[in-house]
Amino acid sequence: MSITIAEKHSTAAKQYVQAVYETVSKRNHHEPEFLQAVKEILDSLIPVFEQQPQLMEAGILERITEPERVVSFRVPWVDDNGKVQVNRGYRVQFNSALGPYKGGLRFHPSVDASIIKFLGFEQIFKNSLTGQPIGGGKGGSDFDPKGKSDNEIMRFTQSFMTELYKYIGPDTDVPAGDIGVGAREIGYMFGQYKRIRGGYEAGVLTGKGIVYGGSLTRKEATGYGCVYFVQEMLASKGLSFNGSKVVVSGSGNVSIYAIEKAQQLGAHVVACSDSNGYIVDEEGIKLDTVKRLKEVERKRISEYVKEHPNAKYVEGCGGIWSVPCDIALPCATQNEIDEKDAALLVESGVKAIGEGANMPSTLEAIEVFLNNGVLFGPAKAANAGGVAVSSLEMSQNSMRLSWTFEEVDAKLHGIMKNIYNNSVKAAEEFGYAGNLVVGANIAGFKRVADAMIAQGVV
Ligand code: NDP
């Protein structure tokens, strides 16, 4: 099995998809991450165009690969030493066929147009898979929150929102958090938006604090959702988390709650990481320590071994995939598992991969997993729980009421099961039974394509 599926399909469908990719690639030749995401999705859609050639005439691919709007802006702010700093802000409004643009904001020095466009493009299909009424978008800045004081974070986020507010709103575009943007940053941005707008538009941002319009379970949603998705994959082979050895990369929002849910289901989580290195605790990761170090004290994961001397710390985050495990949950960042890492995981007997992060596996790594019969839950399906609960937060804001943790968690669980079942069904229907990469891409695409056709050429 493979995601390189172009060989066995009709010339017309293949040629169409390849021609669109060539145009996208020429137009965006300096954007490797964006092209990687486009290539993965386009190739897997060939069977759809073969079965429904009328979609070619509607120019769906030509339109879906070009953002409706890309905004880039200057973000000036003053640091604690009184020095003027300038960062660049972005918002990519990719596709609004299904609803208001929806997708997180990332603050990280690596952020550029390519990263934001890859994330925005993926978001279209992910949001569609959730079954919720949300379009696809993404934004962020090359600002590095690491090492900044609270006051610097506030000044930066206020400056960022002073420009961003022109383009967003509860019915147009609803940003959320991502890498480097957590509850603190969302709070400061919401405060600034409210101040500028002179009204309480709670639904303009999601991931808000519980006391001012946030949803219970939003913080946990991506990590829990990823584990719920993997649970379904495992169950299809008579396997489960109970007693399984699990490795989770990262120690941020997604990782922490993936670890929490995996442990609740009886898994033995032995390793996690940050961008400097990874820890291995064969007795099982003590999540309370990780939460305190990362969520409260904002320290490095290396500090863990000072409190738990039986654990070991290894410098360099990439080595984490050499730790043998039954289930691997990459929850840190894009392209963190390459072909070599994938081969190591296969050698050590990994049975399932659940992508908590966005595009954590390279295309070559995915091939290795699929060719070796590893259960593979692709990001846009496996990590859709976060945006699904963001959409539930929007619903609660519109209704001006709040659901309990249990209510939201139950809805999240149901949504993840649906995403799994719809991806399995689409893969089977188009001749790729068991291939959830193809299944998720097709299931996500079809809903958006139907809406785009209904709405005419816009
Ligand atoms: P956080 O900022 O909370 O955490 C990111 C974690 O990954 C941190 O532990 C960070 O380490 C680590 N990390 C960052 N870069 C690297 C790197 N190059 N190598 C190894 N580790 C690294 O972000 P989130 O948990 O929110 O996001 C993680 C991933 O999940 C991203 O791909 C994001 O797009 C995706 N995602 C997030 C959703 C959400 O709801 N938050 C929803 C769907 C997807 P350090 O502490 O050193 O910075």
Side-chain angles (χ1 to χ4, degrees):
M1 200 183 295
S2 151
I3 52 164
T4 316
I5 60 178
E7 296 85 41
K8 69 180 213 193
H9 291 283
S10 80
T11 321
K14 246 179 350 196
Q15 278 179 350
Y16 168 65
V17 168
Q18 279 160 2
V20 172
Y21 181 73
E22 265 166 42
T23 307
V24 175
S25 153
K26 257 188 222 148
R27 196 177 273 157
N28 305 283
H29 56 91
H30 50 297
E31 296 179 349
E33 292 85 0
F34 175 53
L35 292 177
Q36 181 183 340
V38 171
K39 177 105 186 95
E40 188 230 277
I41 289 178
L42 260 51
D43 276 355
S44 62
L45 295 179
I46 292 172
V48 179
F49 291 98
E50 189 172 54
Q51 232 182 68
Q52 297 173 16
Q54 72 278 13
L55 288 176
M56 297 191 235
E57 269 128 61
I60 298 290
L61 277 194
E62 291 87 336
R63 288 190 280 149
I64 210 169
T65 50
E66 183 64 22
E68 290 176 17
R69 196 167 299 101
V70 178
V71 186
S72 152
F73 50 92
R74 181 170 72 196
V75 189
W77 58 282
V78 180
D79 69 19
D80 285 347
N81 299 320
K83 191 168 177 302
V84 174
Q85 302 282 349
V86 174
N87 287 97
R88 183 175 289 174
Y90 296 92
R91 188 70 186 164
V92 176
Q93 299 180 327
F94 227 114
N95 192 295
S96 61
L98 294 179
Y101 309 104
K102 182 91 198 80
L105 298 169
R106 176 177 291 190
F107 292 168
H108 192 269
S110 65
V111 162
D112 59 16
S114 173
I115 300 267
I116 299 298
K117 280 170 68 181
F118 117 62
L119 290 164
F121 186 65
E122 289 265 309
Q123 198 82 44
I124 305 170
F125 304 90
K126 179 189 308 190
N127 293 3
S128 166
L129 276 172
T130 66
Q132 302 288 308
I134 42 179
K138 197 82 189 187
S141 172
D142 57 2
F143 173 75
D144 187 359
K146 227 174 270 166
K148 302 290 189 299
S149 71
D150 227 34
N151 277 329
E152 287 177 321
I153 297 282
M154 184 160 65
R155 284 196 294 274
F156 171 79
T157 48
Q158 287 178 341
S159 178
F160 183 82
M161 184 51 85
T162 301
E163 185 64 28
L164 185 69
Y165 92 95
K166 297 170 190 166
Y167 312 102
I168 62 174
D171 295 317
T172 47
D173 185 352
V174 183
D178 191 76
I179 291 179
V181 179
R184 172 180 58 167
E185 292 75 16
I186 292 287
Y188 292 153
M189 285 191 275
F190 183 71
Q192 184 71 350
Y193 181 85
K194 181 168 65 74
R195 185 183 189 196
I196 297 172
R197 296 283 299 159
Y200 208 98
E201 297 171 32
V204 69
L205 289 173
T206 58
K208 298 183 292 295
I210 301 303
V211 291
Y212 67 94
S215 174
L216 289 163
T217 326
R218 173 60 189 91
K219 186 174 65 172
E220 293 83 358
T222 309
Y224 278 24
C226 180
V227 170
Y228 291 148
F229 189 91
V230 174
Q231 213 182 358
E232 295 299 309
M233 293 200 301
L234 292 171
S236 74
K237 299 280 180 224
L239 303 169
S240 78
F241 272 98
N242 197 12
S244 295
K245 204 164 172 181
V246 178
V247 167
V248 182
S249 64
S251 48
N253 174 260
V254 181
S255 321
I256 284 175
Y257 293 97
I259 296 174
E260 184 166 284
K261 184 50 73 179
Q263 288 182 336
Q264 283 172 10
L265 294 175
H268 193 57
V269 183
V270 293
C272 69
S273 60
D274 66 15
S275 54
N276 291 110
Y278 66 96
I279 52 166
V280 182
D281 188 342
E282 291 292 349
E283 294 168 358
I285 295 287
K286 279 80 179 174
L287 192 57
D288 285 350
T289 308
V290 176
K291 278 188 179 177
R292 178 172 38 76
L293 288 174
K294 297 310 254 185
E295 291 186 329
V296 183
E297 298 171 0
R298 297 177 194 277
K299 287 191 175 153
R300 309 314 301 154
I301 200 70
S302 54
E303 300 279 320
Y304 181 95
V305 293
K306 291 188 185 155
E307 296 176 42
H308 305 288
N310 287 342
K312 70 169 180 179
Y313 172 71
V314 183
E315 196 67 39
C317 48
I320 194 170
W321 308 119
S322 63
V323 180
C325 60
D326 302 305
I327 300 164
L329 305 177
C331 294
T333 194
Q334 64 273 0
N335 293 330
E336 52 169 314
I337 300 186
D338 63 14
E339 197 176 359
K340 209 165 38 47
D341 301 321
L344 264 180
L345 281 163
V346 167
E347 228 170 82
S348 76
V350 76
K351 295 180 189 72
I353 311 286
E355 293 193 316
N358 282 312
M359 207 167 75
S361 315
T362 63
L363 293 175
E364 296 76 19
I366 298 174
E367 291 281 336
V368 172
F369 292 134
L370 295 180
N371 289 334
N372 286 281
V374 176
L375 295 165
F376 182 77
K380 69 178 71 62
N383 75 22
V387 76
V389 172
S390 273
S391 182
L392 299 179
E393 182 174 333
M394 290 163 71
S395 305
Q396 293 169 78
N397 293 153
S398 296
M399 294 190 286
R400 296 182 194 276
L401 54 77
S402 308
W403 294 322
T404 63
F405 187 95
E406 290 71 25
E407 276 176 288
V408 183
D409 190 34
K411 287 182 202 296
L412 166 68
H413 205 154
I415 290 171
M416 296 314 296
K417 280 187 178 181
N418 276 341
I419 295 176
Y420 174 77
N421 290 332
N422 290 340
S423 303
V424 167
K425 240 196 302 184
E428 277 167 10
E429 190 187 331
F430 287 87
Y432 287 87
N435 187 330
L436 295 178
V437 177
V438 172
N441 286 345
I442 292 179
F445 172 75
K446 285 192 72 186
R447 210 169 148 241
V448 185
D450 288 348
M452 287 175 73
I453 288 175
Q455 292 169 18
V457 179
V458 291

